[in-house]
Structure formats: structure tokens, C-alpha cells
């Protein structure tokens, strides 16, 4: 079977539709317990409200268009303002129900450990706002790399920095993260919670030392070999209460990608109007990883495992592009929070369908373009 060009059969589509109805009924029952519809005037069924929320995201509708569609398709005539109020009401409940439901189903799934650990990728994605510079919200996300498609997100304003402290870090699990998390306080927090980590970091932003007394700072340039070989070194950093030992792996970036990395560093320097140092340009061509994993695990395996972190980037790209959620219409913070909640809830819904129906076909939802078909079917 060619997983990249897999086409669903009629029988499989019918099976999906049955599963959609079953999951929707379970979700609707859970939302009903929250008593969102206290006064049932025009919208009397929770199924109608859930369907309206899904349509709003999947089809990229305005509230005026949503009002027209719901009147024509479901016989529910309400103003666009009334629909907006109802969607905002259901948003946080819908989000919490789907996150809980997705997590519970993920626990039943078979685990595919990385380096012998249940592994997760941590990252965040910004939500731009139309007609306004910058972004308004940030979805801080933990993506499960060990099992079928599963994630947990924390929505916060743009001023909340990326931090592992925003998530429930579990002991004896392995976490991967990019340079935004590669700071010694974040590494110390992981160790305090008995969690293993592999974080990318920038040598110019982290103070690491050769000796346990922390008197001799590491010169990373001295470890960059001319023959582009991988190296692993032990070092130390000053924690809040004690000196902490750390393992650093330095690996060359492939030549074709190294040039692109250097170009990105130059563009970033121009954009931020900062002077680009020679060291920054040199370091851009190397991968610096800080890890709590012992020397028993070869450095090559750790570098290879870190590449799996890219799945969380695919998760963001997939859920944004296929749900056409590139930016929010200009709105208030509370409204933006509600719409992002529904977007994440719909993404979780699609993942549930994938996990339930396609475990025998492949483990990664990005292996073939089934995401967009699921999004179409639930709408």
C-alpha cells in the first residue's frame, strides 16, 4: 500500500462517518453537562451548536455567512451577533472536552518510545491578527512523539514567553525543544522534575563552564573541528542552589542547510538592526544540543532523535494551513481566545479520527494528506 497516495474507499468513508457521529455524541454529552445552553430559545440542541463551531473554523466562515448556512442547512435562524455570542460561550468548554478526550484515547494507544523514553516535543506558535502588526495570542504546545497524533496546548497572550514551566512536565519522560527553551533555568527546572531533555541552545546565550567550580568558561569555537566531526563534552552551569552537570553535543549541520542557516542569521540581523558578530555566523552552521542523557546513549543517536522534534512543526503547519487558520480577523482579546480554543478543539477532533481509524495504516498523520479529508467530513 502506498501510504503517500492512499485514497479512501466508499466503505471506509462510511466507517469514518459512523465514527464521527459516535465521537460527536460523546463530546456533545460532555458539553451538555457544562450547561452552556441555559436558556434554550432558538438553539435548542447542543449538536447544532457544536456543528456551528466546527463549520466556523473548517469553512473559514464569517458570522454573517455562518448565520446564512445554519439557517439554510439546519433551519436555525439567528443573527450573526447571536451566533457570535453562542460560539464564544461554547469555546472554552469545547476545547477542554476535546483536550481531555484526546488525552484519554492517547493513553490507550501503543507506545513507540524514542531512546527508551516516552518522548514529547515542546514548542509554541503565534496567532497573527489581521490589520495589526505582530501577534495577539500564542499556543504553547506539547506534542506526543511516542504515540499516534496527540497534543496538549496552553493558550496565552503574546507577552507570555516560551517556557517549560507552562506545561505539566512528567518524571522519567524525554522532552525535545528548540533554542527558545535552551536556557539554563529551563534545564534546571526539567532536572528538578526528574525529566530528561534534549534542548537546542545558542552558545552566546548560555554560560557553561569546563570545571565544577565554574571558573573556566567554555570556548565553543575550540570544539568546532575543521573536518566537521561530531563531539560530545561534559560541562557545568550554576543553578539556584548548586552546580549542575550537563552534557553538550556539537554536530555539524549538512552543508546545503548550513548555508541557509547562515543566510537566516544575516537576515535576522538586518531585520532587528543588530550587528552580526563573526561567532554568530560560525555557530549558525552547527547544531548545539544540551541534554541530561548519560554517555551510555551515543551522541549520534541523540542527534538523530532530536530531528523527530520536527513533527511539532508539521503539526502547526498542518493544522493552520489545512484549516485555513493563518490569522484572526481583527477582534478583542477575549474573542480571539475563544476562536483559538475552537481551532485547537477541531484539530483534536481530526486527530481522534486518525487515531481511531488509521492506526494500522501509519503512525504519523503527516504521512499522507488525510487531515484535510477528515476536516471536510466533520464539517
Amino acid at each position: 500500500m502506498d501510504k503517500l497516495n492512499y485514497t479512501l474507499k466508499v466503505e471506509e468513508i462510511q466507517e469514518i462517518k459512523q465514527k464521527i457521529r459516535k465521537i460527536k455524541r460523546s463530546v456533545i454529552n460532555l458539553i451538555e453537562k457544562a450547561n452552556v445552553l441555559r436558556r434554550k430559545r432558538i438553539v435548542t440542541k447542543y449538536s447544532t451548536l457544536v456543528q456551528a463551531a466546527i463549520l466556523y473554523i473548517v469553512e473559514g466562515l464569517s458570522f454573517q455567512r455562518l448565520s446564512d448556512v445554519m439557517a439554510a442547512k439546519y433551519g436555525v435562524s439567528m443573527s450573526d451577533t447571536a451566533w457570535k455570542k453562542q460560539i464564544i460561550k461554547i469555546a472554552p468548554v469545547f476545547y477542554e472536552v476535546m483536550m481531555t478526550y484526546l488525552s484519554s484515547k492517547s493513553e490507550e494507544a501503543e507506545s513507540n518510545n524514542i531512546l527508551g523514553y516516552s518522548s514529547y516535543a515542546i514548542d509554541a506558535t503565534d496567532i497573527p491578527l489581521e490589520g495589526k502588526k505582530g501577534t495577539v495570542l500564542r499556543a504553547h504546545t506539547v506534542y506526543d512523539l511516542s504515540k499516534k497524533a496527540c497534543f496538549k496546548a496552553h493558550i496565552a497572550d503574546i507577552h507570555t514567553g516560551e517556557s517549560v514551566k507552562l506545561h505539566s512536565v512528567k518524571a522519567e519522560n524525554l522532552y525535545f525543544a528548540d533554542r527558545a527553551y535552551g536556557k539554563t533555568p529551563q534545564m534546571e527546572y526539567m532536572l528538578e522534575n526528574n525529566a530528561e531533555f534534549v534542548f537546542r541552545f545558542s552558545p552566546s546565550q548560555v554560560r557553561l563552564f569546563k570545571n565544577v567550580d565554574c571558573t573556566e568558561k567554555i570556548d565553543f569555537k575550540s570544539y568546532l573541528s575543521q573536518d566537521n566531526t561530531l563531539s560530545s563534552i561534559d560541562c557545568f552551569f550554576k543553578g539556584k542552589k548548586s552546580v549542575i552537570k550537563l552534557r553538550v553535543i556539537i554536530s555539524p549541520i549538512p552543508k546545503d542547510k548550513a548555508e541557509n542557516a547562515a543566510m537566516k542569521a544575516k537576515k535576522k540581523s538586518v531585520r532587528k538592526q543588530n550587528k552580526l558578530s563573526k561567532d554568530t555566523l560560525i555557530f549558525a552552521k552547527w547544531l548545539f544540543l544540551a541534554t541530561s542523557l548519560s554517555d551510555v546513549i551515543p551522541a549520534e543517536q541523540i542527534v538523530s532523535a532530536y530531528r523527530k522534534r520536527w513533527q511539532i512543526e508539521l503539526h502547526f503547519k498542518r493544522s493552520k494551513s489545512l484549516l485555513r487558520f493563518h490569522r484572526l480577523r481583527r477582534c478583542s482579546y477575549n474573542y480571539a481566545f475563544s476562536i483559538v480554543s475552537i481551532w485547537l478543539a477541531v484539530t483534536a477532533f481530526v486527530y481522534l479520527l486518525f487515531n481511531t481509524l488509521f492506526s494500522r495504516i501509519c503512525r504519523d498523520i503527516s504521512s499522507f494528506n488525510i487531515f484535510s479529508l477528515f476536516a471536510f467530513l466533520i464539517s
Side-chain angles (χ1 to χ4, degrees):
M1 181 187 296
D2 186 354
K3 297 174 184 177
L4 293 176
N5 298 304
Y6 183 75
T7 303
L8 291 175
K9 299 176 183 177
V10 175
E11 296 82 2
E12 290 173 320
I13 291 177
Q14 292 301 319
E15 183 184 359
I16 291 172
K17 288 182 177 179
Q18 290 178 5
K19 186 59 63 175
I20 288 172
R21 287 191 288 269
K22 184 176 180 181
I23 293 176
K24 272 187 179 177
R25 175 46 50 194
S26 300
V27 170
I28 289 166
N29 290 340
L30 292 171
I31 293 176
E32 193 170 358
K33 293 179 181 179
N35 196 24
V36 177
L37 289 173
R38 294 183 180 179
R39 294 185 295 174
K40 297 181 180 180
R41 293 181 177 178
I42 301 176
V43 180
T44 59
K45 297 180 180 179
Y46 281 89
S47 57
T48 304
L49 189 54
V50 170
Q51 190 62 34
I54 292 173
L55 279 171
Y56 179 75
I57 294 296
V58 174
E59 300 296 333
L61 304 177
S62 65
F63 281 111
Q64 184 176 0
R65 181 60 181 153
L66 178 65
S67 177
D68 295 339
V69 170
M70 294 305 293
K73 196 171 182 179
Y74 296 93
V76 180
S77 298
M78 245 181 9
S79 68
D80 52 348
T81 304
W83 273 117
K84 182 177 180 179
K85 290 180 180 178
Q86 293 289 4
I87 294 296
I88 290 174
K89 277 184 183 179
I90 196 178
V93 181
F94 190 19
Y95 167 74
E96 289 298 333
V97 166
M98 290 310 305
M99 286 293 104
T100 303
Y101 200 29
L102 181 61
S103 297
S104 65
K105 294 299 179 181
S106 176
E107 290 175 359
E108 301 171 5
E110 180 185 354
S111 180
N112 182 27
N113 292 340
I114 299 173
L115 301 178
Y117 295 90
S118 295
S119 302
Y120 302 84
I122 302 176
D123 205 350
T125 185
D126 294 345
I127 313 298
L129 196 65
E130 285 183 357
K132 187 177 180 180
K133 290 183 178 179
T135 53
V136 62
L137 288 176
R138 183 173 285 159
H140 301 266
T141 308
V142 175
Y143 188 87
D144 194 335
L145 300 173
S146 301
K147 300 175 183 176
K148 292 177 290 183
C150 182
F151 71 100
K152 182 74 174 178
H154 171 79
I155 309 169
D157 63 67
I158 197 61
H159 302 294
T160 303
E162 298 176 57
S163 174
V164 294
K165 297 179 181 179
L166 295 173
H167 306 288
S168 178
V169 175
K170 298 180 180 178
E172 298 180 1
N173 287 343
L174 177 60
Y175 294 86
F176 297 89
D178 61 11
R179 280 176 290 201
Y181 300 84
K183 310 292 190 301
T184 51
Q186 307 233 36
M187 299 175 195
E188 184 178 12
Y189 178 81
M190 301 297 289
L191 294 172
E192 287 174 351
N193 287 274
N194 297 317
E196 305 291 347
F197 65 87
V198 179
F199 289 175
R200 189 175 183 178
F201 71 95
S202 174
S204 59
Q205 296 178 345
V206 178
R207 288 177 61 87
L208 299 177
F209 301 89
K210 287 184 177 181
N211 56 344
V212 71
D213 296 328
C214 295
T215 56
E216 189 178 356
K217 190 177 177 181
I218 289 181
D219 179 15
F220 285 101
K221 286 190 293 183
S222 64
Y223 291 93
L224 306 182
S225 60
Q226 293 183 353
D227 55 351
N228 287 343
T229 56
L230 182 146
S231 57
S232 176
I233 57 176
D234 292 331
C235 55
F236 304 87
F237 69 87
K238 294 180 180 178
K240 292 179 181 178
K241 299 179 181 179
S242 61
V243 174
I244 298 172
K245 187 179 179 180
L246 195 66
R247 182 184 178 191
V248 168
I249 297 170
I250 306 173
S251 174
I253 295 176
K255 189 174 181 180
D256 56 333
K257 294 183 179 180
E259 295 302 324
N260 290 335
M263 187 62 67
K264 285 182 180 179
K266 291 178 181 178
K267 288 181 178 179
K268 184 178 180 181
S269 175
V270 172
R271 186 174 69 252
K272 293 191 173 183
Q273 297 182 347
N274 296 330
K275 185 178 180 180
L276 184 65
S277 68
K278 292 181 180 179
D279 288 354
T280 301
L281 204 56
I282 293 171
F283 293 150
K285 299 180 180 181
W286 292 79
L287 177 68
F288 294 86
L289 298 178
T291 180
S292 59
L293 297 173
S294 68
D295 295 336
V296 174
I297 302 176
E300 292 82 359
Q301 290 185 20
I302 295 175
V303 172
S304 177
Y306 179 78
R307 295 193 182 102
K308 297 181 184 296
R309 192 202 68 85
W310 187 249
Q311 289 186 34
I312 194 171
E313 302 289 355
L314 291 176
H315 159 68
F316 293 142
K317 182 178 181 180
R318 188 166 53 235
S319 55
K320 280 186 175 182
S321 61
L322 296 178
L323 291 179
R324 297 187 291 276
F325 199 80
H326 296 291
R327 60 182 62 245
L328 286 166
R329 297 183 181 94
R330 191 155 189 175
C331 57
S332 66
Y333 174 82
N334 290 336
Y335 168 72
F337 188 93
S338 300
I339 300 308
V340 173
S341 298
I342 295 175
W343 165 57
L344 292 171
V346 172
T347 303
F349 204 131
V350 174
Y351 279 18
L352 272 172
L353 290 174
F354 173 80
N355 293 349
T356 305
L357 294 169
F358 284 85
S359 59
R360 294 187 300 274
I361 296 176
C362 66
R363 299 195 68 88
D364 186 4
I365 197 170
S366 64
S367 296
F368 57 101
N369 192 10
I370 205 72
F371 190 102
S372 57
L373 176 58
F374 280 174
F376 170 75
L377 289 174
I378 67 174
S379 66

